[in-house]
Amino acid sequence: MESKLLDWKKARQKSIIKVLGDMGIAPKTQTVKAAWYLSPLRTEKEASFCVTLNKNLWYDFGIAKGGNVIDLIIELKSCSSIEALHYLSSQTSFFFIPPEIDQTKRDETLQVFKVKEIQHPALIQYIRSRSILVSTARNFCKEVWYKYNGRTHFSIGLPNSSGGWELRNKFFKNSTAPKSYSLIGQQKEKLLLFEGIFDFLSLATMDKDLIASSDSLVLNSLGFISRSLPLLNKYQRIYLYLDNDHAGKKAAQKIKVLPLNIRDCSCTYKGSKDLNEKLRLLPQQFKKL
């Protein structure tokens, strides 16, 4: 017997957590505020797909895309909105119940209160676990201390071009407002384009001369491609170091249609998801790509 079709409002109330659970997708970490997943929309090794529990909304920081449960089904199943509605109507997943608002809840604004040279042993250990030279990380990043949700945290921080910070540690991936791309360099003729912090630091570890002779653009999210395209016109040569996954390939194709001198360098780490994975597979004495 065919299930009764839900109306759109009711369908949007299906719990994203429960819908993902029905698909066998479980969070890597979960707090009272959010659940963090390895993105079901692409390949990744650090959870950057967030479901906000008190709003029943999702956001994938890797592709800067999010929405409600209907939007998620459309992305997951590459289907139309009406097909997503039929799918949700056929599932027995629980409905989302908005929590009561607690006026005593703490401020969730991320507030930076100290920036210094990278010194904390936990951050140094994390950098080394990614096969990045600590001296290289110190050249471009800082140790950033901040308060978030009433607690004090510290991370490796890369400044972005709008005055914010991209923050990474072993357990946490976030950014301060305003979020943007990071442009590093002194108006050289070459531009090296990366998706994330560790791709950039990986190449800086493997080939510091190439980094020194070029400008570098770290997108910090593939969602900033469109905003960064006007920058590319300033350079005679552009080298792409994007991930070897569907999202990275799609982003590279979007850039390569421009009438510019563009080289896709992802073939130099073929067989690895990204530059950092390639670096970690290299022997102790690093090789140039």
Side-chain angles (χ1 to χ4, degrees), residues 12-15 52-56 94-99:
R12 284 193 291 270
Q13 292 175 353
K14 281 290 184 98
S15 167
T52 306
L53 302 182
N54 65 344
K55 295 181 179 179
N56 198 38
F94 294 101
F95 287 95
F96 167 72
I97 302 175

Side-chain angles (χ1 to χ4, degrees), residues 98-150:
E100 295 182 5
I101 298 176
D102 183 356
Q103 299 299 332
T104 66
K105 286 183 179 178
R106 293 167 292 190
D107 183 8
E108 293 185 18
T109 303
L110 195 156
Q111 299 176 326
V112 173
F113 65 88
K114 181 166 61 176
V115 176
K116 57 189 287 189
E117 183 178 275
I118 297 172
Q119 297 175 338
H120 198 285
L123 294 182
I124 291 175
Q125 182 180 18
Y126 178 51
I127 291 166
R128 288 173 175 164
S129 75
R130 303 295 295 262
S131 296
I132 304 295
L133 293 175
V134 175
S135 58
T136 298
R138 283 174 172 159
N139 283 340
F140 302 102
C141 301
K142 295 294 184 181
E143 181 176 311
V144 180
W145 287 72
Y146 51 95
K147 291 186 180 295
Y148 180 70
N149 199 21

Side-chain angles (χ1 to χ4, degrees), residues 1 14 52 62 78 96 126 141 154 158 189 207 244 284:
M1 181 177 177
K14 281 290 184 98
T52 306
S78 300
F96 167 72
Y126 178 51
C141 301
F154 54 89
L158 177 71
E189 295 181 352
D207 196 341
N244 273 323
Q284 187 73 22

Side-chain angles (χ1 to χ4, degrees), residues 215-248:
D215 285 0
S216 294
L217 177 64
V218 183
L219 292 172
N220 295 321
S221 167
L222 292 179
F224 288 113
I225 287 179
S226 296
R227 187 189 297 184
S228 65
L229 291 180
L231 295 173
L232 308 189
N233 294 317
K234 302 176 183 179
Y235 295 91
Q236 295 184 13
R237 288 166 290 166
I238 299 165
Y239 298 84
L240 306 182
Y241 292 91
L242 299 174
D243 289 1
N244 273 323
D245 58 12
H246 176 72

